[in-house]
Amino acid sequence: MTTTTLPGLILPSRPSRLRETIAAVLVGAVVLVSIIGLDIPWTELSDIPGRVAEYLRLMFAEPSWEKLPRALFETWRSVSMAWLGAIGCVVVSIPLGMLAARGVGPAWLRFVLRRSFAVIRAVPEVIIALVLLTVTGLTPFTGALALGIAGIGTQGKWVYETIESAQEGASEAVRAAGGNTAEVTRWALWPAAAPALMSFALYRFEINIRTSAVLGLVGAGGIGTMLSNYTNYREWDTVGMLLIVVVAVTMVFDLVSGSIRRRIMEGGRARAVDR
């Protein structure tokens, strides 16, 4: 087959894919080195499905409901930790996040706050809880404090990104009326961003509920501590009951929180009025 070229037509050169090729080779090399460094027993991988099935049978074939009242009490403690951590996170992150937004805080303060949020996001909740354990001890307050501190990094980032994405019309109107930065923030930016920020706060609460169970594994209290103890004692029937409680409670709170978040973002549905 022949290719015809119009007179005076210059075909563009084929773009180079050298950068993509180098990036793919580097990613492949990192994956290969990681696999080699993990010292994975490849000969035992085929036994893993059978072992998982055996432990699932031990936990859920006949779960023991004898410790259910205590499990519900410890679950309530985990939910309380999650709620207090979410409230503390929101109270601190909203004003700091607004100061980190362009057009609100000065440049030097924005830089400090954004770098601080990045540092907090880089530290997992479990590490923060382990550090706090030396100060506050093995109490649920440690878990709530760890959840609150860890959430500031993510919540603060959500806040200043939401403020920066708000419509400029209301801000310009307040400035045209002679408003200063504080008045622009109060009467223009906050009303526009409040629904999204409240939705993010509820989402933070959902995340804290899941994380509170993990913090219990390091001694912060709640259902996680109970789950860790019975796992160490190999009482798999009780562990199965605890997992059922954790999953059920988490799903219920997800449904309720999701419904509230949709109501905040979308508003109430209009209903027809019979006449």
Side-chain angles (χ1 to χ4, degrees), residues 74-86 125-126 143-144 146-147 150 158 199-218 220-225 227 242-243 245-259 261-262:
E74 295 295 338
T75 301
W76 174 250
R77 297 181 72 179
S78 294
V79 173
S80 300
M81 284 194 299
W83 180 245
L84 291 177
E125 291 89 345
V126 175
L147 291 172
W158 287 343
S199 177
F200 288 149
L202 286 172
Y203 185 58
R204 185 73 237 175
F205 174 55
E206 295 178 23
I207 296 175
N208 284 358
I209 290 179
R210 299 180 179 89
T211 311
S212 62
V214 179
L215 293 183
L217 299 178
V218 298
I223 191 66
T225 300
L227 184 60
L242 295 175
L243 291 177
V245 171
V246 170
V247 172
V249 171
T250 303
M251 291 180 64
V252 168
F253 276 99
D254 279 353
L255 290 174
V256 174
S257 177
S259 177
R261 285 192 288 111
R262 285 192 298 271

Side-chain angles (χ1 to χ4, degrees), residues 48-199:
I48 292 179
R51 295 177 183 176
V52 171
E54 176 63 19
Y55 280 109
L56 290 177
R57 185 190 65 80
L58 292 174
M59 288 188 291
F60 300 113
E62 295 181 0
S64 173
W65 300 99
E66 181 181 354
K67 300 293 192 299
L68 179 60
R70 184 187 168 195
L72 294 176
F73 174 74
E74 295 295 338
T75 301
W76 174 250
R77 297 181 72 179
S78 294
V79 173
S80 300
M81 284 194 299
W83 180 245
L84 291 177
I87 291 177
C89 167
V90 170
V91 169
V92 175
S93 63
I94 286 183
L96 294 182
M98 296 184 75
L99 289 174
R102 285 191 299 269
V104 179
W108 67 268
L109 183 58
R110 295 201 306 269
F111 177 82
V112 172
L113 289 175
R114 294 191 182 201
R115 297 291 78 77
S116 300
F117 293 154
V119 170
I120 295 174
R121 289 196 305 273
V123 183
E125 291 89 345
V126 175
I127 302 300
I128 296 177
L130 288 175
V131 174
L132 293 175
L133 283 175
T134 60
V135 180
T136 56
L138 298 173
T139 63
F141 175 71
T142 301
L145 193 59
L147 291 172
I149 294 174
I152 291 174
T154 304
Q155 196 78 17
K157 180 179 175 63
W158 287 343
V159 170
Y160 71 72
E161 288 182 348
T162 303
I163 294 296
E164 291 176 352
S165 63
Q167 297 294 330
E168 293 290 336
S171 301
E172 294 175 355
V174 175
R175 289 192 181 95
N180 54 27
T181 301
E183 292 169 336
V184 169
T185 303
R186 169 62 183 87
W187 300 109
L189 297 178
W190 172 252
L197 296 183
M198 294 302 101
S199 177

